[in-house]
Amino acid sequence: MDKILNLGKYIFPLSFLLYVGLHLGKPNVGASFVPDYIPFPLFWNYLTSVCILLFIVSALIGKYDKLSYSLMALYVILMAILIHLPRAMGYELVPENMTANLRKKWNWKWLTFSEI
């Protein structure tokens, strides 16, 4: 059982590589989640990917790993409450709450199979 738990210490941080890939691969989609009252959404998108990458490196090498796990937990909780919960409740889906800038950021082409 201890071997499985020790293995999880390395597998869990690697699962966040998906988010780094999403932030870097489709930056406009990630930036569209930044609320309108926060300036420079692309900057926050790239900063988030760098912070997640630093968490992964710190957790894998074991240096400042407790701090990095704590900060990542805080990040996940804040994103769930401040970004994803209002969207899940439909606040961002009401046309008055979406700006024209936010509508331009979404590129729905990547969701289709038109390039296959």
Side-chain angles (χ1 to χ4, degrees):
M1 187 67 169
D2 289 335
K3 290 181 182 181
I4 294 173
L5 292 177
N6 286 336
L7 187 62
K9 186 170 87 171
Y10 299 106
I11 293 175
F12 178 71
L14 290 176
S15 66
F16 283 94
L17 279 175
L18 171 72
Y19 296 107
V20 174
L22 289 173
H23 281 272
L24 295 177
K26 298 286 185 183
N28 288 333
V29 173
S32 68
F33 282 92
V34 176
D36 293 333
Y37 55 85
I38 298 176
F40 313 114
L42 281 174
F43 166 76
W44 292 109
N45 180 59
Y46 289 124
L47 180 68
T48 300
S49 65
V50 168
C51 290
I52 294 172
L53 194 59
L54 289 174
F55 158 71
I56 294 168
V57 170
S58 175
L60 290 179
I61 65 173
K63 186 138 179 144
Y64 300 110
D65 54 343
K66 289 182 182 179
L67 177 64
S68 67
Y69 276 106
S70 299
L71 291 175
M72 182 53 82
L74 179 66
Y75 166 77
V76 169
I77 290 169
L78 286 175
M79 290 302 107
I81 292 171
L82 298 175
I83 304 297
H84 298 298
L85 183 63
R87 287 177 174 266
M89 293 172 48
Y91 179 75
E92 292 282 341
L93 301 177
V94 178
E96 298 87 47
N97 298 333
M98 291 180 69
T99 63
N101 190 23
L102 182 62
R103 289 186 191 140
K104 288 179 189 175
K105 289 179 189 176
W106 280 98
N107 181 7
W108 294 101
K109 183 179 177 185
W110 68 276
L111 288 175
T112 64
F113 296 103
S114 61
E115 296 177 7
I116 296 178

